[in-house]
Amino acid sequence: MSGEHMQIGEVAARTELSLRTIRHYEETGLVIPSARSQGGFRLYTEADVARLMVIRRMKPLGFTLDEMRDLLTATDRLDGGDRLPATEHEQLLDRVRHFEEAARRRVADLRVQLARAEEFAATLRRRLPTA
């Protein structure tokens, strides 16, 4: 296997996603393998791995598959190398800004939840006799 293509097992190990999850993201159109081997095996590139990492990072923040698709579409257009009309470029950047703001808010919410969970664990710990 050449260094530029990876089979799904290697991608799963690198992204810490299950084979089933990667296949699900393929079925929903979030990531498409860049190639297929002669035997029909999915082959992925570093760009595919990077795309899966974006998805993996969005999931715990509660973004939906449609939201993931929306962000990926925007970043694909921005990174596509084509010269975009200024209005479209700005609209795409606004979309990315929207996701960055949403991610920041969701991270803050998770920090509050974590603090509450830590308080709860500490409360339980104080109820236990010390050894």
Side-chain angles (χ1 to χ4, degrees):
M1 171 94 13
S2 78
E4 62 184 58
H5 284 103
M6 297 162 267
Q7 289 189 359
I8 194 170
E10 182 180 348
V11 172
R14 289 190 50 197
T15 60
E16 298 178 348
L17 295 169
S18 69
L19 300 177
R20 183 177 179 189
T21 297
I22 294 170
R23 287 184 188 114
H24 173 69
Y25 291 150
E26 179 184 350
E27 290 167 8
T28 60
L30 288 175
V31 66
I32 305 297
S34 292
R36 292 264 181 180
S37 70
Q38 288 181 348
F41 294 104
R42 296 166 174 86
L43 298 176
Y44 298 86
T45 62
E46 287 296 331
D48 299 323
V49 170
R51 189 175 184 90
L52 284 164
M53 292 302 292
V54 168
I55 295 166
R56 193 189 92 185
R57 290 176 181 124
M58 290 181 81
K59 187 164 177 42
L61 294 176
F63 288 102
T64 66
L65 294 178
D66 286 337
E67 289 170 322
M68 292 175 191
R69 186 175 296 104
D70 187 32
L71 175 62
L72 291 168
T73 298
T75 57
D76 287 348
R77 290 287 293 146
L78 287 167
D79 298 342
D82 297 333
R83 181 140 171 84
L84 300 171
T87 9
E88 181 182 359
H89 187 262
E90 193 55 39
Q91 288 171 343
L92 292 169
L93 287 176
D94 283 345
R95 207 176 313 167
V96 173
R97 281 185 200 101
H98 163 79
F99 279 103
E100 188 276 332
E101 291 168 8
R104 197 169 359 103
R105 283 191 310 270
R106 292 174 186 197
V107 166
D109 292 343
L110 286 172
R111 284 191 175 114
V112 169
Q113 289 179 14
L114 178 59
R116 290 177 182 156
E118 288 172 337
E119 287 173 10
F120 175 65
T123 299
L124 294 175
R125 206 172 23 258
R126 286 190 299 271
R127 294 184 64 84
L128 297 173
T130 55

